[in-house]
Amino acid sequence: MFKRLKEDIETVFERDPAARSILEVLLCYPGLHAVWLHRIAHWFWTHNLKLIARIISHFSRWLTGIEIHPGAKIGRRFFIDHGMGVVIGETTEIGNDVTLYHQVTLGGTSTKKGKRHPTIGNNVVIGAGAKVLGPVKIGDNCKIGANSVVIKDVPPNSTVVGIPGKVVRREGIKPTKVDLEHGKLPDPIMESLKQMLDIIHDLELEVKTLKKEIREKEER
């Protein structure tokens, strides 16, 4: 147990240059507190003491501003930087060496029971405000840009940005046009612009037709 605690503290120093001392990390890092409380809650959850698990989780949310469902499975060296507003759903699975920033949501898109939250691979970084929704899989060594919305699987070694989330780099190489279709969602702004252009096109045709009719009448 003490080995894991030491490992968690070392992880903070590795990923946050603002960390100055062990005492500061122990007292002033809510992300670390949330992870430790989650481990306790998860133990109760897996031993069928679910009410106690939820109470601990609720207390952790009140203390840290981070909501981690006690059913979520989290690997080693997990780091939440700043952390306020982070939400991790019940069936989420997180690998080793993962980093989340504030306001990240690993959420669901279904009200049905079963697997409904993301599976995050190893060595993944998810930027501030990003949303990863549904039972999608994020491959190892991926980076999810701040405020991105991801609802489709992401292959390993990829960088995803935007709404909807699109792969902009994979294996260090910019993807093809086909790859950029990843995670395509309806874009209401683009749809509105297309409708406006269609209307303008129709109006131009009507104007041309009217001009032609007027010209023909004048020639008569």
Side-chain angles (χ1 to χ4, degrees), residues 65-68 78-89 92 94 98-107 118 120 124-133 138 144-150:
I66 298 167
E67 183 174 344
I68 308 177
F78 178 57
F79 179 56
I80 303 175
D81 198 2
H82 297 290
M84 178 62 70
V86 167
V87 177
I88 300 175
T92 301
I94 298 175
V98 172
T99 300
L100 306 185
Y101 289 88
H102 60 282
Q103 296 185 335
V104 166
T105 298
L106 304 180
I120 311 297
V124 173
V125 177
I126 303 181
K131 317 299 177 189
V132 184
L133 306 175
I138 308 299
I144 309 298
N147 294 316
S148 299
V149 178
V150 181

Side-chain angles (χ1 to χ4, degrees), residues 59-70:
F59 171 74
S60 177
R61 179 189 179 192
W62 171 81
L63 178 68
T64 66
I66 298 167
E67 183 174 344
I68 308 177
H69 193 284

